[in-house]
Amino acid sequence: DVKVTQSSRYLVKRTGEKVFLECVQDMDHENMFWYRQDPGLGLRLIYFSYDVKMKEKGDIPEGYSVSREKKERFSLILESASTNQTSMYLCASRTRVDRNTEAFFGQGTRLTVV
Amino acid sequence: GNSVTQMEGPVTLSEEAFLTINCTYTATGYPSLFWYVQYPGEGLQLLLKATKADDKGSNKGFEATYRKETTSFHLEKGSVQVSDSAVYFCALTHYGQNFVFGPGTRLSVLP
């Protein structure tokens, strides 16, 4: 069974902390994504990666960075957490070969910044 | 650019009622279309998909038909259950481009 695993279900961090959200997939997928989900705003793409060490900005990259040192792992970094980054964060992956392929999502990380 | 519009709800139904959640899209060519479901506190799960015009995706009693002429992919279920309470997202992708998601429709099914 395919799997995307996010390292934490719930996180509470303080304002100004550096926060790492980790995501691992076991499907050998080329593409990986980070979204945030907020009530009334749907899913918004933060960053994505087509390959190891590659990254592209999504729609709302400000305040975030990412790292992809290995194919299976994609990390989202909040350089200095702020209260407006309190949100649900979703990681996803998909293969690049076939345009019809679906994206697989992790279980989500609910981050609260206090 | 590509876009997806869906009814935002919330939609509240009684158990065994018929469900329709409307979804329309804007895209050039022939995108692939998807419905995802998100149960409370969880990530998104693929519910069904269709990759070409007139395809019907189906799963767990849910169905949706890819209608090119009306650019629609409406989700239907004949008899909903309390366990179907969730948020439903319509989405598309096209030639390997990133997914475009609708805003989600919250469904509550009452016993």
Side-chain angles (χ1 to χ4, degrees):
Chain A
D1 207 14
V2 296
K3 206 144 183 153
V4 178
T5 304
Q6 295 182 228
S7 54
S8 304
R9 292 292 298 269
Y10 301 94
L11 273 180
V12 180
K13 296 293 182 180
R14 295 194 179 277
T15 301
E17 276 193 77
K18 191 169 186 175
V19 181
F20 293 86
L21 303 183
E22 307 285 346
C23 175
V24 176
Q25 51 96 2
D26 65 359
M27 297 164 281
D28 202 35
H29 284 168
E30 291 85 359
N31 294 342
M32 296 188 74
F33 307 84
W34 276 106
Y35 294 88
R36 66 177 280 177
Q37 183 180 19
D38 300 289
L41 297 176
L43 274 74
R44 293 181 291 168
L45 182 63
I46 305 171
Y47 266 97
F48 60 101
S49 169
Y50 288 130
D51 205 343
V52 176
K53 297 192 186 296
M54 306 276 292
K55 60 184 178 184
E56 298 282 344
K57 293 180 180 179
D59 301 318
I60 52 161
E62 296 77 20
Y64 303 94
S65 62
V66 291
S67 172
R68 191 157 181 212
E69 297 296 318
K70 293 185 177 181
K71 191 175 186 180
E72 68 270 18
R73 186 180 298 269
F74 192 36
S75 303
L76 180 69
I77 304 157
L78 286 66
E79 297 290 343
S80 177
S82 63
T83 54
N84 63 14
Q85 293 178 308
T86 292
S87 186
M88 172 73 126
Y89 290 88
L90 294 167
C91 175
S93 74
R94 68 183 294 204
T95 188
R96 143 167 83 195
V97 174
D98 183 338
R99 72 179 180 96
N100 297 332
T101 56
E102 62 265 37
F104 295 86
F105 283 82
Q107 76 276 31
T109 296
R110 185 162 294 283
L111 172 67
T112 303
V113 182
V114 297
Chain B
N2 299 335
S3 66
V4 174
T5 302
Q6 64 179 107
M7 51 194 293
E8 293 200 34
V11 174
T12 303
L13 296 173
S14 297
E15 206 165 23
E16 300 184 359
F18 184 86
L19 169 71
T20 300
I21 301 177
N22 290 336
C23 171
T24 57
Y25 68 90
T26 301
T28 54
Y30 294 86
S32 295
L33 302 174
F34 303 80
W35 277 101
Y36 280 85
V37 59
Q38 184 180 34
Y39 298 104
E42 301 293 325
L44 276 66
Q45 302 174 24
L46 179 67
L47 182 59
L48 53 84
K49 70 177 184 181
T51 59
K52 60 184 186 295
D54 300 324
D55 264 3
K56 177 186 281 188
S58 61
N59 186 24
K60 301 181 181 179
F62 291 90
E63 293 183 340
T65 301
Y66 188 159
R67 302 286 188 200
K68 180 66 177 172
E69 63 277 11
T70 54
T71 61
S72 65
F73 193 54
H74 304 321
L75 183 68
E76 296 182 335
K77 187 176 185 184
S79 176
V80 292
Q81 306 299 312
V82 172
S83 57
D84 294 325
S85 298
V87 180
Y88 292 82
F89 291 90
C90 186
L92 69 81
T93 186
H94 195 32
Y95 291 118
Q97 293 175 8
N98 288 336
F99 272 75
V100 176
F101 290 92
T105 301
R106 181 173 300 278
L107 170 66
S108 295
V109 180
L110 305 178

